[in-house]
Amino acid sequence: MSAALDPARPPLALDVRNLSVAAGETPLVHDVSFAVAAGARVSLVGESGSGKTITALAVMGLLRPPVRIAGGSVLLGDTDLRRLSRRQLDRVRGGRIAMVYQDPMATLNPLHRVVEQIVEAIRLHTPLDRRAARARAVELLEDVGIPDAAAKAEAYPHELSGGMRQRVVIAMALSGDPELLLCDEPTTALDVTTQRRIVELLVRVSEERGVAMVMITHDLGVAAGFSDEVAVMYAGRIVERAEATRIYAEPCHPYTEALLGAACDLTLPLERPIPTIQGQPPSPGELAGGCSFHPRCRYAQPLCEVDRPLLLEAAGGGSVACHFALERSPVAVSDAADEVGDA
Amino acid sequence: MDEQGGAAVAAVRSRMRLRRSPSLLALATGVLGLIVVLCLLAPLIARHDPNEQDPADAFASASGAHWFGTDDLGRDLFSRVLYGGRLTLLIVAGSVLVAFLLGTLWGFVAAIRRGFLDELLMRTADVLMAIPQLLFALVCISAFGASMLNLALVIGVLLSPTTARMARAAALTEMNRDYYAAAIAYGARRRRLLLVELLPNTTGALAVQAAINAASAMILEASLSFIGLGIQPPDASWGTLLQQGYGFLYQNVGYAIFPALAILLTIWTLNVLADQLGARAGAQGA
Amino acid sequence: MPEPLLEVRSLVKEYRVGRDGRMRAVDDVSLAIERGQTFGLVGESGSGKSTLSRCVLRMIRADAGEVRFDGVDVLGLGAAQMRRLRRRMQVVFQDPHGSLNRRQSVADILQAPLAAHGVGDRASRRARTAELLELVGLASAFARRRPEQLSGGQAQRVAIARALALQPEFVVLDEAVSALDVSVRGQILNLLKALQDELGLTYLFISHDLAIVRYMAQVVAVMQRGSIVEQGSRERLFAESRHPYTRSLLEAIPVADPPRERARILASLAAPAVAQRPQG
C-alpha cells in the first residue's frame, strides 16, 4: 500500500511532523517526519543512538524530564497529541494507541494471572462488566493465536513461553481497539522460529482489523516482510524513507546500502571478509558536523563535512538525505517504481 | 532498546523509587561533618575544663558563660557535651570499623565458598542475631570491663552479623555477573576474586551498611552508658550525660536534653546518608 | 590423524526442578574439535549450548561425562592444575560491558590475567597491554579508559584482547556478537577470523544465528533441548540437512527481500490454523 505517500487516500492514522526531542540541551532526535496511513505498516529501522525508540516514546507521550519534546507535532488521526492534558493522554494511551515492548515482562505483572491483566486493560477502555470482559479476554487470546485460550488464560506469565507472553501483550494492546500499534523490537528477544510467527501475527492483525502499525527494529530481515514503508534512522534523523520494496532493491543512502550489505544471511560469501561499516554509531553528544554519517561513509566528499543534506525526494520514490544520492543511484526504471499495488 | 530509550525508561523508573536529593545529602553531610569537627576540636572550642567543678554554680541555666548551663557539680555542660561527643564518636567509629572488617570477611567468605561453610557461617550469624543485644553487651562488659576499646569491640561484634548478611548478598549479586565469570576463566585465585573483583564493586552496599551501623552503634553506646555499663565517670559520653541528666530533669532540663539532641541529630544525619547512598547505589547496580 | 584439541564425551548436566523433577540442560552430548578449527554450536534459548560451554570450561560442574583437552582429563584435575590449564582455554561472553569490571581501567583489565598468573613484571605487562590493544585494533590511548567510556564494539574488543592475554590455544565465543549493532558485528567477526589465522586459534563459536555460524564455522552442531540433533560439516549441514529441526531453523531466517518475505507471510496466513501450534 502506498497510501502512506498519497494524502488523497484514507486519512492518516499517524502524522508526525518535524518532531524533535532533546534531553536538556542535547538533541536526541531532529526534525523527524513520517506518516502512517490507516491500516498501513511502517518500520523505523536503525541501530543504537539512532533515536528510533525515543521517537516512539515521544509519540506515546512517555518522555520524562529531562527528556522532552523540543518541537514538531504528533497527530493521531486528527487529534493533536501534544495538546492533550495528562488525563486525556492517559485515555488515548492503551485505547487509540498502544505499545508493545521488547520484553513482555516489562508489561506483564508476574503476580497476576494473564486473564486478570487483560480484563484490567479491557475495563480501562470499554464499559464492559467483569463477566463480559473475561469473555472478551479469552476471545482476544484466541485471536492472537494462543491454542487452548480458555485454559492458558488462567496461567501466570512465567508459566508461558516467551512467544506466548508476547502474544498476550499483543492481546492486551488490542483490547482497547487501537487505531495504531507501536512495537519496539517486539521480536528481538525471541527465537528465530518464534520471531517469524509473531511477525505473521502482527501482519494478520493489521490486515484483519485495519490497525496501523509502527515497528521499531534493527533487523532488516524482520522489517522486510512486515513493512509497507521503511524509514531508516541514523543519529537522530531520518536519512531515507521509501516503500519497502524500493529501499531494499535500490537503497539510495550510503548508510542504508551499507546496512543492507552488512546483514548476514545464508548467502554471505565465505571467502571474503564481511562487508562492514567502519567506526561505530555516534552517541547524541558527539555528532559530526555536516552529514552525521560522513565519518563512516565510503562516498564521503569534502562537502559532506560542512553541509548537512536535507531530506529530499529521491528518484524512484520516497526521500533521502544525501548530497550524492542522484549521482550514485541512477533513476530506477521498471520494477521498483511500478510497485504501487497492495501489500 | 537503544541507549536513549533505555535512559528514558530508567528515568521513569527511578522516580518511583527513593527520591535522590542532592540537597538533602549535602545538608546531612554538612551537619554530620560539623558535629564531628566540633567534637574533635573540643579542646580548642570548649571554654571550660569538662571536669572542672563549681558546686556553687550547680544547675545554672543556659547563659553567656555556660551555653548549655551546668550540671549537678557545676561543670560546664557545653564542654561536657563536646568532650562527650569525642568519646561517643570514637566508640562509634571503632565499632563500625570492627563490624566492617569482621562482617565483610564473614559475608564474602560465605558467599565465595558456598556449601557447608556458607551454611555454618550464616547460621552462626543467625544465632548471634537472636541474642538480645543489651544482654550480650551486659555479659561481655561485665566480664571484660568498660573501656573504650572493649565497648568498640563488643558493639562491633554485635553489628557484624547483619553486616555479614549484607556483604554476602552484595557479593552474590556481583558473582552472578559476567566479569566475575571472566575472572574465574582467566584463572584468578580466591584472594584476587575477593579483593580486586568483588570488593570494589560492592562499596555502594557496604557504605550504606556502614552508615546504618554507625546509627545503631550510637544507640547501643547510649543505651549501655545509660544503664551504667558504658563510659565511667568522670569521663562522660553522650549516653552517660543522658543518664546523669535524666536524674536531674527538674533541676536543669538542659542536662538531659542537649545530649539527647546531639544523639538525635547525629542519628538523623546518618540515616539520611544511608538512604541517599542507597538510592545512588541502587541506580548504578542494576 | 592427530588427536582433536577438545573432546567431549557423553556430557550430562542436570538441574533439579520443583520437588523431585529433573531437567537435563545437557543430555549426553559428545563432540570433537580439531586444532585450528572453528566449531559452531547452534541452538535457540534453552537448548543448553551455554551450559555446555560452561561445563567444558569447568565453570559449572558437570554431572557425568568426560572432557579432554589435548588429552588431559579436564574434569578430573585438581584446582591448581585447572588454574594452569585455564591459560590455554579462554572465553568471550555475550554482554560486552557486563564482562568488564566497571571499576577497572582497560589497562587493569588486560593485565589482570597476567597478574593472576604472575607473568612478567610491571614493564613487560605494560608492553603486553600495548601489544594486545594493537592486536584487536584499538589505539593505545584506550588503555586509560574505563568500560563506561567504550562503545559496545570497543568493549568487546577489550574482552577479546583479555582472552588473548595469556596466549591461549582455544577460545569459546559465547554469542560474542549477538549484543552488538549490525554495522559493528561484521568488524568483530572479521577480527576474530583474522586473529584465528594469525595466532592459530581454535574456536568454539556459539550462536543462535545460523547465518553467522555458517560464515565462521567449518563444522556445525545443532542443539535442541540439551541434545545435539545434527552435526556435520558446514557444506553438508547447510546444503543437505536432514533433521526437521535444523530445517525449521534454516527456513525461519528472514531474507532482506520484501516481495519474497511478504509472499511467505501471506502464504502462512492463508494456511489452515492446524499448522499454528505455536511453540512460541
Side-chain angles (χ1 to χ4, degrees), chain B residues 20-150:
Chain B
R20 286 168 57 163
S21 173
S23 46
L24 196 55
L25 180 60
L27 179 66
T29 316
V31 171
L32 186 62
L34 190 64
I35 294 174
V36 171
V37 164
L38 284 178
C39 292
L40 286 180
L41 293 181
L44 301 176
I45 304 177
R47 289 141 104 235
H48 302 263
D49 182 309
N51 292 324
E52 186 194 323
Q53 302 183 9
D54 185 7
D57 200 12
F59 302 120
S61 22
S63 67
H66 299 284
W67 291 356
F68 285 176
T70 59
D71 68 357
D72 53 326
L73 294 177
R75 298 176 285 199
D76 177 34
L77 278 175
F78 182 64
S79 310
R80 282 182 78 73
V81 167
L82 279 184
Y83 274 88
R86 287 177 116 192
L87 291 176
T88 301
L89 291 174
L90 274 172
I91 295 172
V92 164
S95 33
V96 169
L97 186 63
V98 169
F100 173 77
L101 291 172
L102 184 58
T104 306
L105 191 66
W106 193 337
F108 275 16
V109 168
I112 218 176
R113 293 294 227 107
R114 308 310 304 274
F116 181 70
L117 191 59
D118 182 13
E119 283 293 319
L120 185 65
L121 287 171
M122 285 302 111
R123 296 296 82 78
T124 311
D126 289 343
V127 166
L128 205 54
M129 275 162 53
I131 302 175
Q133 290 185 320
L134 275 182
L135 208 57
F136 180 88
L138 208 140
V139 172
C140 288
I141 299 290
S142 311
F144 301 116
S147 70
M148 265 183 61
L149 181 64
N150 285 353

Side-chain angles (χ1 to χ4, degrees), chain A residues 248-294:
Chain A
Y248 283 76
E250 297 275 341
C252 291
H253 195 280
Y255 177 60
T256 316
E257 185 187 281
L259 211 55
L260 283 166
C264 299
D265 64 13
L266 292 173
T267 62
L268 196 56
L270 302 175
E271 339 69 57
R272 279 180 273 145
I274 299 180
T276 177
I277 314 179
Q278 60 175 42
Q280 58 261 339
S283 38
E286 332 164 329
L287 293 184
C291 170
S292 320
F293 186 63
H294 88 258

Side-chain angles (χ1 to χ4, degrees), chain A residues 46-50 233-236 255 258-259 276-288 291-297, chain B residues 3-4, chain C residues 96-97 136-139 142 145 147-158 179-188 191:
Chain A
E47 305 177 288
S48 326
S50 59
M233 287 186 73
Y234 187 82
Y255 177 60
L259 211 55
T276 177
I277 314 179
Q278 60 175 42
Q280 58 261 339
S283 38
E286 332 164 329
L287 293 184
C291 170
S292 320
F293 186 63
H294 88 258
R296 306 173 77 192
C297 180
Chain B
E3 288 141 33
Q4 289 81 38
Chain C
H97 282 99
V136 298
L138 288 174
F142 275 89
R145 294 217 195 156
E148 71 236 14
Q149 298 167 300
L150 303 173
S151 71
Q154 289 164 342
Q156 200 63 312
R157 287 175 195 261
V158 171
L180 301 175
D181 280 320
V182 173
S183 65
V184 171
R185 234 171 251 187
Q187 292 174 22
I188 301 298
L191 173 66

Side-chain angles (χ1 to χ4, degrees), chain A residues 203-215:
Chain A
V203 170
R204 174 160 70 76
V205 163
S206 162
E207 298 280 320
E208 282 176 5
R209 291 163 174 250
V211 180
M213 294 194 180
V214 175
M215 180 184 297

